[in-house]
């Protein structure tokens, strides 16, 4: 959670090679006004400071996040602030969702509910922007080699998938059998929005 995130986490990742170089830091919104309405304990500026800490690490750290669109009272300007946060953060991945009311929450009775159709439109805009970012970021990995923990096998002959320590999904071929659960080195030859 952003409220618990400090430089000690970045220092731990930098100094302990066994720790993965990936952080999931939920933003929820790029608008401080909406973050306050969500009763989050941080502002947009504070969130960006935490990202700056991560980006200043000695080794590259992958960052993923969560975004919610359509929170009661969210305006077009708030959505624009979320899009600009995506541009500034350059997340490696985002889990984006439409707001839905949850029992026993303060937001359940808030005015200015966003119509479902508009929530869907806003979600598509956020997902499209993040897709562009992910394509560009993943293209930067072409030619690099990653150590991958193999966690899946395809039905297709010699097709495998796994994750790097930065939580990137890599799909690859290998004539070797029994790779499930093994570490292998994989060179990236192409990139898609969600995998290498």
């Amino acid at each position: 959670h952003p409220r618990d995130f400090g430089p000690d986490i970045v220092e731990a990742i930098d100094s302990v090679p066994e720790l993965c170089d990936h952080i999931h830091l939920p933003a929820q919104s790029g608008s401080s006004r909406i973050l306050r309405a969500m009763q989050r304990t941080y502002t947009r500026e504070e969130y960006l400071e935490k990202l700056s800490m991560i980006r200043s690490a000695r080794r590259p750290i992958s960052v993923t996040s969560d975004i919610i669109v359509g929170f009661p009272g969210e305006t077009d300007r708030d959505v624009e602030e979320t899009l600009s946060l995506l541009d500034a953060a350059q997340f490696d991945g985002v889990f984006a969702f439409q707001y839905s009311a949850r029992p026993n929450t303060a937001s359940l009775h808030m005015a200015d509910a966003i119509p479902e159709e508009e929530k869907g439109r806003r979600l598509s805009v956020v997902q499209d922007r993040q897709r562009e970012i992910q394509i560009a970021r993943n293209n930067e990995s072409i030619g690099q080699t990653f150590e991958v923990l193999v966690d899946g096998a395809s039905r297709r002959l010699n097709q495998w998938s796994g994750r790097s320590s930065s939580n990137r999904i890599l799909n690859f071929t290998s004539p070797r059998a029994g790779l499930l659960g093994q570490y292998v080195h994989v060179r990236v030859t192409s990139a898609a929005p969600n995998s290498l």
Side-chain angles (χ1 to χ4, degrees):
H1 191 287
R3 77 169 169 250
D4 302 320
F5 186 87
D8 57 322
I9 296 172
V10 175
E11 181 54 38
I13 292 172
D14 262 346
S15 61
V16 181
E18 292 81 8
L19 291 177
C20 288
D21 47 355
H22 170 249
I23 294 172
H24 184 77
L25 194 66
Q28 307 301 358
S29 175
S31 163
S32 289
R33 190 182 74 79
I34 293 298
L35 290 170
R36 194 168 37 258
M38 290 177 168
Q39 298 181 357
R40 303 294 171 181
T41 56
Y42 53 90
T43 64
R44 171 195 174 95
E45 292 72 25
E46 290 167 337
Y47 185 89
L48 287 170
E49 287 172 14
K50 292 172 188 301
L51 276 179
S52 182
M53 276 185 241
I54 296 168
R55 301 298 186 210
S56 67
R58 290 186 298 277
R59 66 175 170 160
I61 298 174
S62 169
V63 181
T64 55
S65 193
D66 296 334
I67 297 290
I68 296 172
V69 297
F71 193 81
E74 182 184 66
T75 65
D76 288 341
R77 178 173 168 80
D78 295 319
V79 175
E80 284 301 320
E81 288 184 33
T82 294
L83 293 171
S84 74
L85 178 74
L86 295 180
D87 291 338
Q90 294 291 297
F91 295 117
D92 293 295
V94 165
F95 299 96
F97 307 94
Q98 291 181 187
Y99 166 79
S100 59
R102 297 285 189 258
N104 304 316
T105 61
S107 62
L108 186 61
H109 304 291
M110 288 181 168
D112 296 329
I114 308 298
E116 291 300 315
E117 184 176 314
E118 178 60 12
K119 284 192 233 178
R121 186 194 70 75
R122 291 176 183 185
L123 179 62
S124 290
V125 169
V126 166
Q127 289 174 326
D128 289 347
R129 177 73 58 86
Q130 182 58 33
R131 180 181 173 86
E132 293 170 10
I133 292 167
Q134 285 176 212
I135 289 170
R137 290 194 57 81
N138 285 348
N139 278 332
E140 293 171 3
S141 297
I142 294 174
Q144 294 182 34
T145 299
F146 292 92
E147 182 179 49
V148 174
L149 173 61
V150 181
D151 63 5
S154 172
R155 293 183 190 142
R156 296 159 83 191
L157 185 63
N158 301 330
Q159 297 288 310
W160 301 92
S161 66
R163 291 184 185 264
S164 71
S165 68
S166 59
N167 203 33
R168 296 179 190 280
I169 298 171
L170 286 90
N171 300 301
F172 62 97
T173 58
S174 175
R176 292 175 44 202
L179 288 180
L180 209 56
Q182 302 295 311
Y183 285 95
V184 296
H185 286 89
V186 178
R187 188 174 64 81
V188 178
T189 58
S190 64
N194 298 312
S195 64
L196 304 171

